[in-house]
Amino acid sequence: GGWVCFCFSLIFIGLVTAIIGDVAAIFGCCLGIKAMGTAITFVALGTSLPDTFASKTAAQQDPHADASVGNVTGSNSVNVFLGLGMPWTIGAIYWAGGANDEWRRKFGPGTEPHAKIPEAFREGAFIVQAGNLAFSVTVFSICAVLCVAILAARRRLFGGELGGPLPAKIVSAVLMISLWLIYIGMSFWKMETSDS
């Protein structure tokens, strides 16, 4: 029924993801790029390229763009909801037992983050420091809304999200790539300004 293949695929995806993360961290360190910068560029690009090719194939085989757009949004929702949700849930369950020596060293009395921890959680809890997350998510959300607006404009002007005259294809491609570059640029700007 394919379950063995499916399970082994998940195992190998996990192994390759771990290797990609380590290689990207080393590569970023060699180039002097912070971990978040490496994550939103090299790791994101490396893990998204298979989705890009799957979306391209879906777009070529389907008369509408629904399959390719659905692939992108579905993949991103899995990354956000499962990729963050599962580890955070596991972390919350693990730390529900209270603080240990490692937790006290990082978040206990006398540490910088201790004052920011709500009173109810000062005896141990799962803590994720946000850093630049709010800014990054805001920029991403704005770029995503602009992307959807471009797709809606293409549907109105050319009768579909894909296709149309060559100049319109080029303009759309440049706009989409520009949105990604704006997101990367703004995120790097925030990383640099928040450190100084």
Side-chain angles (χ1 to χ4, degrees), residues 46-57 68 71-72 75-76 79:
T47 58
S48 295
L49 282 178
D51 291 332
T52 304
F53 294 124
S55 291
K56 178 184 180 286
T57 303
S68 58
N71 177 54
V72 171
S75 172
N76 283 315
N79 290 341

Side-chain angles (χ1 to χ4, degrees), residues 164-178:
L166 182 61
K169 292 179 192 178
I170 293 171
V171 168
S172 297
V174 168
L175 287 173
M176 298 290 192
I177 292 169
S178 297

